[in-house]
Amino acid sequence: MSNEIDSSMKLLPYVDDKFVGYRNKSVQDFRFALSEGIRSQVFFATFVEKVENQIKSMGIKPKRIEGSDRIKTSIEVSYEIAEVTGKDTAVYLVNGFKGEADAMSIAPVAAKNKGQIILTNGKYMPINVSTDIPTYAVGGSSVMSNAIVSDAQATRIGGKDRYETNRKVIEKFFTNEKVYY
């Protein structure tokens, strides 16, 4: 049975961490989990389409920005931010697979400074970033490797866990703030 699941998993474009646990389960359990994942993706696509139609009904023409995966989408969004703002103010690197809390911690900073959040796999840089632009790697060494910090010539803002990382983000970027975004 394990061979059946291994061969089924080869059909996936990548091995998702949540599916690896199904190697020792039944094929039916694996198929159910896979169908639930597909169903949630269809729900999300339907939700996005409804929101897009609602925006269009208000006379606003939305611009779709997308990539083939979450990392490439974040890169496309960063290009759009640079184009709209007319400059590159700062780049914030986060792990797109294990650093969701870190991304939420740095999002207000990026919005306030019109900076760009670029998702990574935590191991290597998906694009080259100019050394003229302040670059920050958000997250501790368990989610953002020292190699990525070095390659990007980034300043690490990270702690031993997400809470300490968030505290360090606040200390670094909100020192004199009375209102937090």
Side-chain angles (χ1 to χ4, degrees), residues 15-78:
V15 178
D16 192 320
D17 288 339
K18 68 182 172 188
F19 292 128
V20 171
Y22 287 91
R23 289 187 190 275
N24 299 323
K25 304 234 176 172
S26 71
V27 173
Q28 289 78 16
D29 287 343
F30 175 70
R31 286 182 182 154
F32 179 77
L34 189 59
S35 67
E36 284 295 306
I38 291 169
R39 190 165 60 112
S40 71
Q41 292 295 321
V42 169
F43 170 79
F44 182 72
T46 304
F47 174 75
V48 169
E49 185 179 343
K50 286 181 180 179
V51 169
E52 188 174 16
N53 289 336
Q54 199 171 24
I55 291 170
K56 286 178 183 176
S57 73
M58 297 185 311
I60 300 169
K61 183 180 177 190
K63 180 176 183 179
R64 183 171 293 276
I65 303 170
E66 59 190 329
S68 58
D69 60 30
R70 66 180 75 181
I71 291 174
K72 291 177 181 143
T73 299
S74 75
I75 293 167
E76 292 301 318
V77 169
S78 76

Side-chain angles (χ1 to χ4, degrees), residues 1-147:
M1 186 172 324
S2 180
N3 288 339
E4 242 182 293
I5 291 181
D6 284 342
S7 63
S8 297
M9 291 181 83
K10 289 178 185 171
L11 298 174
L12 297 173
Y14 57 90
V15 178
D16 192 320
D17 288 339
K18 68 182 172 188
F19 292 128
V20 171
Y22 287 91
R23 289 187 190 275
N24 299 323
K25 304 234 176 172
S26 71
V27 173
Q28 289 78 16
D29 287 343
F30 175 70
R31 286 182 182 154
F32 179 77
L34 189 59
S35 67
E36 284 295 306
I38 291 169
R39 190 165 60 112
S40 71
Q41 292 295 321
V42 169
F43 170 79
F44 182 72
T46 304
F47 174 75
V48 169
E49 185 179 343
K50 286 181 180 179
V51 169
E52 188 174 16
N53 289 336
Q54 199 171 24
I55 291 170
K56 286 178 183 176
S57 73
M58 297 185 311
I60 300 169
K61 183 180 177 190
K63 180 176 183 179
R64 183 171 293 276
I65 303 170
E66 59 190 329
S68 58
D69 60 30
R70 66 180 75 181
I71 291 174
K72 291 177 181 143
T73 299
S74 75
I75 293 167
E76 292 301 318
V77 169
S78 76
Y79 292 154
E80 183 69 15
I81 290 170
E83 185 178 314
V84 169
T85 62
K87 58 184 174 178
D88 291 323
T89 57
V91 172
Y92 307 96
L93 305 170
V94 297
N95 186 316
F97 301 96
K98 297 180 182 176
E100 292 89 348
D102 299 333
M104 288 188 284
S105 291
I106 204 66
V109 176
K112 176 183 169 189
N113 298 329
K114 296 177 177 55
Q116 304 158 23
I117 297 174
I118 296 178
L119 303 181
T120 72
N121 67 359
K123 297 175 186 160
Y124 66 87
M125 284 293 298
I127 62 170
N128 292 324
V129 177
S130 170
T131 56
D132 298 336
I133 303 168
T135 303
Y136 301 93
V138 184
S141 58
S142 65
V143 293
M144 295 295 284
S145 72
N146 291 330

Side-chain angles (χ1 to χ4, degrees), residues 161-178:
D161 58 28
R162 64 184 61 185
Y163 306 107
E164 187 175 337
T165 297
N166 186 58
R167 185 176 51 75
K168 288 185 177 187
V169 166
I170 291 169
E171 289 171 356
K172 172 116 180 114
F173 295 104
F174 296 102
T175 54
N176 298 317
E177 301 288 332
K178 295 190 182 349

